Amino acid sequence: MMGRVSISSGYGEDSTNVSNIFIDEYMSEANDAQIKIYLFLLRMMSANLPTSVPALADKFNHTEKDVLRALKYWENKGLISLEYDGAQHLTGIHMEDITSANARKYGRRRGDTVITPVTASAPQVVQQSMPGTPASVTAIPTRNVAEVASRPSYTAAQLRAFKQAEGASLLAIAEQYFGRPLSSNEMSIIYYIRDELKFSDELLDYLMQYCVDNHKTDFRYMEKVAINWSQNSIVTLEQARTETYKHDSDILTVMKALGMENNPTDKETSFINRWRNELGFSMEIILEACDRTVLAVQKNRLKYCDGILQNWHKNKVVTREDIAGLDASHSADLAKKTKSRASVSSIDTKLRSGESSIRLGDNRNRFNQFEHNNVDMDELEKLLLDN
């Protein structure tokens, strides 16, 4: 019978420690690419070695976009912070301290620098810019220790009073959005955002919806967004929408691909979100549709692009190979129709030519079959004169 399995360690200096908090709280929600990138960053940090986006892509056979998405994912989770220069080039990646689930530090811990800015004596670390992303790509900056300390520690009595009074509807909405009963810590974050940051119920509702729509169900992330909005004097629903649109790199990338340089409107954003969420297309497929749209039309590009993607969704397109297959099928059908039209046209021409010949033959037959009567012209003339 199988018994317990003992696990022993022979770790020496050539090893990388992974926090149990990462394993318990974060690993189950991340995909393979995100886990690989984070663990490799830990390994590089422990060895004090530099790396780069291209190097990470080569290491794990991912695209550079996959690596950048993974980095942004962990930044949104609060486990790393990213730094950029004035030209929007990624210059630094810093690991955040997750040593305690109850006393988490969002500020940078000394000695946790994984990738340092490029110097004359060091190899270039990161030279990949974030495609289509503005300077404020880190829309939700990493908080420092002072900011964490500014959030009060609410008592059970305070939270109970909040839940039974003015916070009752908000907490009920939060439980609907996040699909679970809230913990005391999660309730205290909502209380803090409403009580200390002075968010209206409408603004707090939108904040929760924004987080859930972007698959960010960690309340620490929501708190960081709220602090960022508060620091940037965002107090209305319209200001919040404008802010979120500005910092959604996918939306900005699609807008740019369609030749639209304006700040995204609600209608434009709804189109793009439908392509990503409802239709489930990857950015690669969406951008392919954008390229075809730009080559085809000058106006109403969003609607034209939507038509392409709706058709692809109807035909169950998921990859570029699916698109190629659909294109080949369309070309074959078009060639078949063109050949059919040419055949019909040829037959019509022949029929028209044959009909003329038939009519000419009929006339000749009628002429040849006409009965010629023998008439006495002198007698005819006499009759006419008598009358």
Side-chain angles (χ1 to χ4, degrees):
M1 185 176 67
M2 295 287 292
R4 292 186 177 183
V5 177
S6 298
I7 302 175
S8 60
S9 172
Y11 292 161
E13 294 181 358
D14 188 21
S15 62
T16 300
N17 293 324
V18 180
S19 169
N20 287 335
I21 296 174
F22 174 79
I23 297 171
D24 295 340
E25 298 185 17
Y26 295 95
M27 197 165 69
S28 61
E29 295 181 359
N31 62 35
D32 290 347
Q34 291 158 352
I35 293 172
K36 289 177 183 177
I37 296 300
Y38 183 77
L39 293 178
F40 191 72
L41 290 178
L42 285 178
R43 186 263 183 273
M44 299 304 282
M45 179 193 72
S46 64
N48 196 26
L49 294 173
T51 189
S52 67
V53 171
L56 289 168
D58 291 340
K59 176 73 175 178
F60 299 109
N61 197 26
H62 294 315
T63 66
E64 293 183 12
K65 286 185 178 180
D66 289 335
V67 173
L68 292 168
R69 288 194 192 99
L71 292 175
K72 288 182 66 179
Y73 173 84
W74 291 122
E75 182 184 38
N76 289 334
K77 287 292 185 182
L79 299 194
I80 68 173
S81 59
L82 305 177
E83 293 184 355
Y84 302 87
D85 61 18
Q88 294 27 277
H89 294 91
L90 184 61
T91 57
I93 303 175
H94 300 271
M95 306 302 287
E96 301 296 341
D97 186 2
I98 56 170
T99 55
S100 171
N102 297 321
R104 194 176 309 280
K105 304 299 184 182
Y106 289 90
R108 190 174 305 142
R109 185 175 61 182
R110 290 183 181 179
D112 276 358
T113 299
V114 177
I115 303 174
T116 56
V118 179
T119 62
S121 59
Q124 185 165 353
V125 177
V126 176
Q127 55 186 2
Q128 175 70 28
S129 61
M130 297 288 280
T133 307
S136 51
V137 63
T138 45
I140 306 160
T142 303
R143 294 187 297 162
N144 56 38
V145 176
E147 289 172 332
V148 176
S150 67
R151 175 156 63 93
S153 178
Y154 300 106
T155 65
Q158 286 177 303
L159 291 178
R160 186 165 53 252
F162 177 64
K163 184 177 181 179
Q164 293 172 351
E166 69 272 13
S169 61
L170 276 175
L171 295 176
I173 291 171
E175 289 182 347
Q176 290 179 357
Y177 275 134
F178 293 92
R180 64 174 186 271
L182 303 184
S183 66
S184 297
N185 185 58
E186 290 170 339
M187 284 191 287
S188 70
I189 289 175
I190 293 178
Y191 190 10
Y192 165 70
I193 293 171
R194 190 179 187 276
D195 187 55
E196 295 293 327
L197 301 184
K198 307 300 181 185
F199 274 39
S200 66
D201 288 359
E202 181 183 50
L203 186 58
L204 224 168
D205 187 314
Y206 177 75
L207 170 63
M208 291 187 287
Q209 180 184 350
Y210 165 75
C211 292
V212 171
D213 286 348
N214 286 276
H215 309 291
K216 310 297 184 184
T217 57
D218 189 331
F219 270 61
R220 291 184 295 269
Y221 175 84
M222 185 172 73
E223 183 183 13
K224 292 170 70 178
V225 176
I227 290 173
N228 177 257
W229 287 1
S230 178
Q231 290 174 342
N232 286 280
S233 302
I234 295 171
V235 296
T236 68
L237 182 60
E238 185 61 31
Q239 288 173 328
R241 283 177 174 162
T242 301
E243 181 73 7
T244 57
Y245 298 163
K246 284 194 308 181
H247 299 302
D248 190 319
S249 61
D250 285 349
I251 289 177
L252 295 174
T253 299
V254 172
M255 293 286 290
K256 186 176 181 180
L258 290 172
M260 304 166 71
E261 300 295 337
N262 58 289
N263 285 329
T265 64
D266 285 348
K267 185 176 181 180
E268 290 164 345
T269 302
S270 68
F271 268 104
I272 299 169
N273 282 335
R274 184 165 68 250
W275 301 340
R276 294 188 300 180
N277 302 325
E278 183 180 327
L279 302 185
F281 284 119
S282 65
M283 280 296 292
E284 181 182 29
I285 301 301
I286 293 173
L287 292 177
E288 175 65 23
C290 291
D291 290 342
R292 297 184 180 213
T293 297
V294 170
L295 292 174
V297 296
Q298 293 293 329
K299 296 181 179 179
N300 298 321
R301 286 180 171 174
L302 269 173
K303 290 186 177 179
Y304 189 91
C305 191
D306 184 62
I308 293 175
L309 291 168
Q310 292 285 357
N311 180 59
W312 287 353
H313 182 260
K314 181 180 178 181
N315 286 278
K316 296 180 171 52
V317 166
V318 176
T319 65
R320 284 188 177 274
E321 288 73 18
D322 295 334
I323 297 174
L326 198 62
D327 288 344
S329 177
H330 177 71
S331 297
D333 289 343
L334 186 61
K336 186 177 179 180
K337 289 178 182 178
T338 302
K339 185 177 180 180
S340 178
R341 288 194 204 100
S343 178
V344 170
S345 178
S346 175
I347 293 171
D348 184 62
T349 301
K350 290 177 181 179
L351 287 174
R352 290 178 183 276
S353 175
E355 184 183 350
S356 298
S357 299
I358 292 168
R359 278 200 290 266
L360 179 59
D362 289 344
N363 290 337
R364 286 172 180 169
N365 290 339
R366 284 195 294 270
F367 178 78
N368 291 333
Q369 293 172 3
F370 182 77
E371 295 183 359
H372 297 281
N373 295 324
N374 294 323
V375 179
D376 188 335
M377 296 303 295
D378 291 336
E379 186 178 352
L380 180 59
E381 183 178 0
K382 183 180 178 180
L383 289 171
L384 289 172
L385 289 173
D386 289 344
N387 292 330

